[in-house]
């Protein structure tokens, strides 16, 4: 299923079945059987090697240089969607994404 391709990360890390604090609206996206917790976005990206990052957090700068470079390391054309509004709350800027991926990313923003 398409849902199996999404890894949902919140302020406490990857949403997993072993966490006791998962909010009800996140339950359809919990991950099972990973054998460990992934408390940071960078750890999730390093483990999963995603094609895309989709930011819906409203938390400015959560797509750090290390996170974006980790996605770029495993993708020829990494997809970086920093969709939070207003721009001051975007996960990263277009300039950052293009710089950190050496111009290779496909970028979209919410503004």
């Amino acid at each position: 299923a398409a849902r199996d391709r999404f890894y949902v990360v919140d302020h406490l890390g990857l949403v997993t079945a072993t966490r006791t604090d998962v909010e009800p609206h996140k339950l359809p996206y919990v991950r099972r059987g990973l054998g460990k917790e992934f408390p940071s976005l960078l750890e999730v990206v390093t483990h999963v090697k995603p094609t895309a990052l989709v930011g819906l957090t409203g938390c400015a700068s959560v797509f750090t240089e290390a996170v974006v470079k980790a996605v770029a390391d495993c993708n020829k054309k990494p997809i970086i969607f920093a969709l939070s509004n207003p721009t001051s709350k975007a996960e990263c800027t277009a300039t950052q994404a293009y710089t950190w991926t050496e111009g290779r990313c496909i970028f979209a923003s919410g503004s």
Side-chain angles (χ1 to χ4, degrees):
R3 184 178 299 158
D4 295 336
R5 306 292 292 167
F6 286 85
Y7 288 75
V8 175
V9 179
D10 64 13
H11 67 288
L12 297 173
L14 183 64
V15 176
T16 62
T18 56
R19 283 184 29 190
T20 59
D21 57 358
V22 177
E23 297 166 296
H25 67 278
K26 297 176 188 172
L27 290 175
Y29 302 97
V30 297
R31 287 282 162 176
R32 293 174 171 71
L34 296 175
K36 68 176 257 182
E37 295 295 316
F38 296 89
S40 74
L41 180 57
L42 181 57
E43 289 176 88
V44 174
V45 167
T46 301
H47 177 74
V48 173
K49 300 184 181 1
T51 304
L53 289 178
V54 180
L56 306 167
T57 66
C59 296
S61 304
V62 74
F63 292 174
T64 64
E65 181 174 1
V67 167
V68 173
K69 283 185 172 184
V71 176
D73 285 347
C74 57
N75 293 283
K76 186 176 180 180
K77 296 287 281 182
I79 300 167
I80 310 295
F81 289 174
L83 300 178
S84 293
N85 280 309
T87 304
S88 62
K89 294 189 184 257
E91 291 75 15
C92 71
T93 66
T95 300
Q96 290 169 326
Y98 290 124
T99 299
W100 297 337
T101 64
E102 299 173 341
R104 296 183 293 125
C105 74
I106 298 169
F107 179 85
S109 68
S111 295

